[in-house]
Amino acid sequence: MTTDKPRTPEDFMRRAITLSRERMRSGDGGPFAAIIVRDGGILAEGWNQVTSHNDPTAHAEIVAIRRACDAIDSISLEGAEIYATCEPCPMCMAAIYWARISRLYYANTTEDAEAIGFDDGAIYREIALAPEHRTMPAERLLGDEALEVFREWDAWPGKQRY
């Protein structure tokens, strides 16, 4: 973690924007980057690596969260802030909540991303629907059998809640 000097939110966002431009131009992925900051210093950086890693989950925020959690050896980023060059997609927004990040700053909007061909807005609209109304068919199977595992987990004394 770097703590050279006090920095403003604008400084951290400028770093994220610079990183997104550099990595996009290098062919590493799309025009997205994210910075995770805690205690005034950069804990981790991530950039879009979807196409360079053939991984649809390698969004900038996900990459940054994985690196930050690894850096502090914890699944919780409570007290951290994330600076994302675009309003996070549903997957990334969920990961930000799961990681317990305390604050989100973003630059471009979902509408800005849609205007250049990214379908985050369509996914947000789709997941707001009940499963039976989504375009992807979904069917529940073997719920009773799967619930047995949940019951076992609930009673398991060695579990780590998250």
Side-chain angles (χ1 to χ4, degrees):
M1 184 181 332
T2 61
T3 55
D4 301 341
K5 62 180 177 126
R7 292 178 161 174
T8 66
E10 291 81 4
D11 292 333
F12 290 120
M13 186 60 77
R14 281 189 187 97
R15 172 63 192 143
I17 292 167
T18 297
L19 184 61
S20 70
R21 180 179 289 113
E22 291 170 354
R23 294 306 179 152
M24 176 194 69
R25 287 179 178 172
S26 73
D28 226 1
F32 305 96
I35 307 285
I36 296 179
V37 173
R38 193 160 76 174
D39 299 326
I42 294 174
L43 185 58
E45 297 180 335
W47 52 90
N48 183 282
Q49 298 176 348
V50 170
T51 56
S52 61
H53 286 75
N54 295 317
D55 180 354
T57 68
H59 290 201
E61 298 91 337
I62 300 295
V63 172
I65 288 168
R66 289 173 180 163
R67 289 178 176 164
C69 288
D70 190 47
I72 64 168
D73 196 28
S74 175
I75 61 172
S76 175
L77 295 174
E78 191 171 346
E81 302 170 333
I82 188 165
Y83 295 79
T85 59
C86 189
E87 186 176 1
C89 74
M91 173 184 68
C92 293
M93 196 69 231
I96 289 166
Y97 277 104
W98 279 116
R100 309 293 193 257
I101 292 174
S102 299
R103 185 175 184 111
L104 162 68
Y105 294 93
Y106 64 93
N108 294 315
T109 66
T110 298
E111 293 78 18
D112 296 330
E114 271 191 296
I116 62 167
F118 291 93
D119 58 0
D120 302 25
I123 297 169
Y124 266 115
R125 289 186 294 276
E126 183 78 6
I127 62 174
L129 299 173
E132 64 273 12
H133 296 295
R134 295 178 186 154
T135 58
M136 180 188 296
E139 180 179 345
R140 185 174 185 206
L141 293 175
L142 302 176
D144 291 338
E145 291 179 36
L147 277 173
E148 290 174 22
V149 179
F150 272 21
R151 288 185 194 104
E152 185 177 335
W153 164 260
D154 193 40
W156 186 38
K159 69 181 165 258
Q160 180 184 356
R161 294 236 183 243
Y162 56 93

